[in-house]
Amino acid sequence: MPITIADVAARAKVSKTTVSRVLNGKGELDESTAARVRAVIDELGYVPSSRAVGLARGRTRVVAMLVPSLTWPWIGEVLQGAVDVLETERYGLLLFTCNRGDESMRQFGAQVSAKSFDGLLVIEPEGTLDYIATLHRRGLPVVLIDDRDQSTGEIPSVGTTNHDGAGSAARHLLEIGRRKPLVVTGPERFGCTDQRMAGFAAVYAEAGLAIPPERVSLGDFTVACGADAVHAALAAGVEFDSVFAHNDLSALGAMQALLDTGRRTPQDVAVVGFDDIPTAAHTQPPLSTVHQPLREMGEAAARTLLAHFEGSPLPSEPTVIPTSFVTRGSTVA
């Protein structure tokens, strides 16, 4: 049978309240009594319920994180950044995904109602932003890790520079003489798609080069959409000397399609991605890409939440961590 607080109290010949005070460091106790209780705890191997201790202290020392899925290739980097901060400060992490749709959200909602955690980090599962905003308005501290520029401004957020990152990709392609890029976008409903398209097109426009509609392919951030864009452009006779994909997976698909059709990367067609997922450095050739500060975003979001627990107000303006461009073999031989 598990050891209970009553067992500790009986062995130490004190009340359960006294044991609770020793565990929580509350109330004035005779040091000899406290020492006797601690000795009995060690002797019996009693492990107090972390939830019970947390409630007694008014804090669980647990942070929840809600993400769409763990299969997204960059989620692990964001998660590791958050975990690094939380573990250093002796907080636990309760992780929720939306793999099972409504059932997943019901399970998450039950934990919210039970006050199982002190605050929430969110990479927004599609369609949940209004619900998350409602939780925040009702008093749950929330920080959004805003990868898609979906923020309403109501929820504190940590994001990056999608517009400027795409602009850096355009400048790199122009510097190596690529004047006819094929662009593989992300989904239209995501704000980052508009920002990346606008940032990229603006740099080409400054150079007097428009990007015509036939060289813009609507994608969905998958490997398949990058491959399909290249095959469709070649079949239609569209001329292009480079590919800018709105994420690395799409770029990998484009590289494979170029290889399959006898084009060399980068000699015939240069390819640039966006994200800098771990795989990007190990493709053949390695992928030039816009580095999103994924781990840093997770770290910053966790620090923001923990600072709030210690009394700092949540920021009213987004925290923005800039992108950087990484040149590899897919653009420079």
Side-chain angles (χ1 to χ4, degrees), residues 8-90:
V8 174
R11 178 69 66 90
K13 296 181 172 57
V14 296
S15 69
K16 290 190 291 185
T17 300
T18 297
V19 177
S20 179
R21 286 176 176 172
V22 172
L23 291 169
N24 297 312
K26 288 187 174 181
E28 293 186 8
L29 289 172
D30 177 76
E31 181 54 38
S32 64
T33 300
R36 185 168 74 253
V37 170
R38 286 193 287 267
V40 170
I41 288 171
D42 291 341
E43 176 189 345
L44 297 179
Y46 172 62
V47 179
S49 161
S50 60
R51 175 163 169 73
V53 173
L55 289 174
R57 293 175 175 169
R59 186 180 297 176
T60 66
R61 295 195 70 84
V62 173
V63 167
M65 189 165 184
L66 177 64
V67 304
S69 170
L70 295 179
T71 61
W72 290 18
W74 51 264
I75 287 283
E77 287 292 298
V78 178
L79 182 59
Q80 189 62 58
V83 166
D84 287 345
V85 171
L86 295 173
E87 288 187 347
T88 298
E89 298 300 324
R90 299 185 181 278

Side-chain angles (χ1 to χ4, degrees), residues 58-244:
R59 186 180 297 176
T60 66
R61 295 195 70 84
V62 173
V63 167
M65 189 165 184
L66 177 64
V67 304
S69 170
L70 295 179
T71 61
W72 290 18
W74 51 264
I75 287 283
E77 287 292 298
V78 178
L79 182 59
Q80 189 62 58
V83 166
D84 287 345
V85 171
L86 295 173
E87 288 187 347
T88 298
E89 298 300 324
R90 299 185 181 278
Y91 273 76
L93 179 70
L94 192 57
L95 182 62
F96 297 92
T97 74
C98 280
N99 290 329
R100 293 178 292 118
D102 290 344
E103 176 59 29
S104 294
M105 291 307 296
R106 281 192 292 271
Q107 181 178 347
F108 170 71
Q111 295 299 315
V112 172
S113 298
K115 298 183 178 179
S116 299
F117 46 85
D118 299 329
L120 178 65
L121 303 173
V122 181
I123 298 173
E124 185 233 338
E126 193 170 351
T128 65
L129 192 60
D130 288 343
Y131 172 56
I132 299 304
T134 298
L135 295 179
H136 182 59
R137 285 194 296 270
R138 290 176 178 173
L140 179 67
V142 178
V143 177
L144 183 67
I145 301 171
D146 190 17
D147 65 301
R148 286 171 280 170
D149 193 41
Q150 297 286 85
S151 176
T152 62
E154 177 182 359
I155 306 173
S157 64
V158 175
T160 190
T161 49
N162 286 295
H163 185 281
D164 292 348
S168 69
R171 280 188 289 275
H172 175 71
L173 289 175
L174 285 169
E175 286 169 1
I176 61 173
R178 307 301 171 124
R179 300 170 63 84
K180 297 180 179 180
L182 173 68
V183 181
V184 185
T185 76
E188 288 181 306
R189 63 187 181 277
F190 292 167
C192 67
T193 296
D194 288 339
Q195 290 198 351
R196 292 174 191 178
M197 189 69 233
F200 188 82
V203 171
Y204 269 86
E206 289 171 3
L209 299 169
I211 301 176
E214 63 267 22
R215 283 201 268 112
V216 178
S217 177
L218 180 62
D220 59 4
F221 286 153
T222 63
V223 172
C225 79
D228 290 345
V230 168
H231 286 302
L234 292 174
V238 174
E239 293 186 10
F240 60 97
D241 57 13
S242 53
V243 176
F244 171 53

Side-chain angles (χ1 to χ4, degrees), residues 168 172 175-176 272 276 286-291 324-333:
S168 69
H172 175 71
E175 286 169 1
I176 61 173
V272 172
D276 197 20
L287 179 65
S288 293
T289 186
V290 179
H291 173 79
S324 56
F325 191 80
V326 181
T327 302
R328 297 192 180 108
S330 67
T331 56
V332 178

